Amino acid sequence: MGEILVGTAGWTDRGLLQSGWYPPGVDTPARRLAHYAERFPLVEVDSTYYHPPSERTAELWVRRTPGDFTFNVKAFRLFTRHPAKPSTLPRDLRWAAGSRRDNVSLDELDPDVVEELWRRFRTALAPLYEAGKLGVVLFQFPPWFSSGPDNRRYLVECRDRAAPLPVCVEFRNHTWMEEHERERTLDFLSQHRLPCVVVDSPRGHGNSIPPVIASTADPAVVRFHGRSTEWNSRIKERRFGYKYSEEELAAWVPALRELSASVSTTCVVLNNCYRDYAHVNAAQLVELLDGAGRER
């Protein structure tokens, strides 16, 4: 049975700070990360999706956490085919967007600039990787990233460009996991040693993916997005404002243990990040998993 690491997507959200989850006096970035790391062995970094990370920040994360702590890090949005404002590029590379003030895509940038963005991304995360604290880099693809030969090739390209950093992929287009395509997708990911993120999210939407319990490579990654009835809302508090019941979490315990039997590590991330919902649910899930382990 492999190790199961449970954590949340972030530790500095404004709603979390306002919820009272942090006790009085835990009021600096260093103290908050230390407090979080005393309670969970894993955290997912979301800020790197919006702006490329810095090596200095990664060095601070290494110093401020225990030796066995793990960071999963979201890939910069351009790498996952999301458009981005030119202002999100490093200052010395913004010239590549020309005079545009609206969004720019990766394909619109000079290939040398793209290569430099990837190089800087790898370099920035090197302190985590070298310290053994990098779990995976999460490539969460947009709803318009559908199954097809070009996009399958791009998955492998992301893996190769990120190397030696380990990666995982999360789909938000139903075509990857439709009944007639599911086996092909899983076989492809297994062949290319790409972990596929298992998701729990609201059903019945174009960007809904069923929770296919399968490990295509090590580590296994599971992300809980909540089950909000306002999943398509652009307001984060409505989209992720869902607290799982203990019964809903308990129903996942057998599946998580099944996944952990085939890999060395299973990373479980609560992404229902409204106030302290994710942190409360993560603590509940840890207790449920511990209880299931003792029963065995």
Side-chain angles (χ1 to χ4, degrees):
M1 190 68 64
E3 185 178 29
I4 301 178
L5 306 179
V6 178
T8 69
W11 69 96
T12 59
D13 283 359
R14 181 180 302 175
L16 176 64
L17 301 185
Q18 295 171 345
S19 72
W21 189 78
Y22 287 110
V26 182
D27 53 4
T28 67
R31 290 172 180 169
R32 288 170 184 147
L33 183 53
H35 180 85
Y36 177 96
E38 289 175 356
R39 285 149 183 81
F40 300 108
L42 166 74
V43 77
E44 182 182 279
V45 180
D46 183 61
S47 60
T48 49
Y49 168 78
Y50 299 99
H51 295 275
S54 74
E55 189 172 2
R56 169 63 177 165
T57 299
E59 290 171 349
L60 290 174
W61 290 340
V62 169
R63 292 208 298 266
R64 291 172 176 175
T65 52
D68 58 352
F69 192 78
T70 298
F71 291 86
N72 285 359
V73 179
K74 287 189 78 171
F76 180 45
R77 61 185 301 150
L78 281 178
F79 299 156
T80 51
R81 300 298 190 183
H82 290 84
K85 297 287 186 184
S87 59
T88 66
L89 297 173
R91 189 175 299 275
D92 64 319
L93 296 180
R94 291 176 189 171
W95 60 267
S99 59
R100 295 183 56 171
R101 295 186 178 181
D102 57 346
N103 287 332
V104 64
S105 69
L106 197 70
D107 292 337
E108 295 173 306
L109 297 177
D110 184 278
D112 289 339
V113 172
V114 173
E115 180 56 42
E116 179 64 9
L117 286 170
W118 277 102
R119 187 194 69 77
R120 294 188 190 186
F121 187 83
R122 295 190 302 268
T123 299
L125 296 182
L128 290 176
Y129 177 72
E130 292 166 0
K133 292 188 173 187
L134 180 64
V136 286
V137 177
L138 167 65
F139 286 78
Q140 186 185 50
F141 291 97
W144 56 87
F145 189 83
S146 59
S147 176
D150 289 343
N151 285 343
R152 283 193 290 273
R153 282 191 292 269
Y154 186 68
L155 295 178
V156 178
E157 180 182 338
C158 287
R159 181 203 65 185
D160 293 344
R161 282 183 176 269
L165 309 181
V167 305
C168 67
V169 298
E170 178 178 341
F171 300 119
R172 288 186 290 168
N173 182 290
H174 63 92
T175 58
W176 294 94
M177 291 299 171
E178 287 182 341
E179 191 170 345
H180 66 278
E181 189 73 9
R182 183 179 304 170
E183 185 174 349
R184 180 179 186 177
T185 295
L186 296 177
D187 286 347
F188 177 85
L189 296 175
S190 295
Q191 176 187 350
H192 293 281
R193 305 304 299 163
L194 283 164
C196 182
V197 176
V198 180
V199 297
D200 183 275
S201 64
R203 311 286 183 87
H205 301 275
N207 59 350
S208 296
I209 301 294
V212 178
I213 311 302
S215 56
T216 53
D218 208 335
V221 181
V222 184
R223 302 182 77 231
F224 287 78
H225 296 296
R227 300 175 184 178
S228 170
T229 58
E230 299 185 69
W231 180 240
N232 289 324
S233 175
R234 293 182 178 273
I235 301 173
K236 177 181 177 181
E237 290 77 10
R238 294 180 179 176
R239 181 175 171 84
F240 295 104
Y242 185 89
K243 183 182 284 187
Y244 287 91
S245 69
E246 186 169 323
E247 291 73 21
E248 288 170 329
L249 294 173
W252 265 93
V253 169
L256 296 177
R257 293 187 66 82
E258 176 187 337
L259 278 174
S260 71
S262 59
V263 291
S264 64
T265 306
T266 300
C267 299
V268 182
V269 177
L270 277 294
N271 188 43
N272 52 328
C273 294
Y274 173 69
R275 296 183 64 80
D276 62 354
Y277 287 10
H279 296 68
V280 170
N281 282 157
Q284 289 176 310
L285 184 55
V286 169
E287 289 187 9
L288 290 166
L289 288 165
D290 288 347
R294 287 193 298 270
E295 291 173 4
R296 293 173 70 91

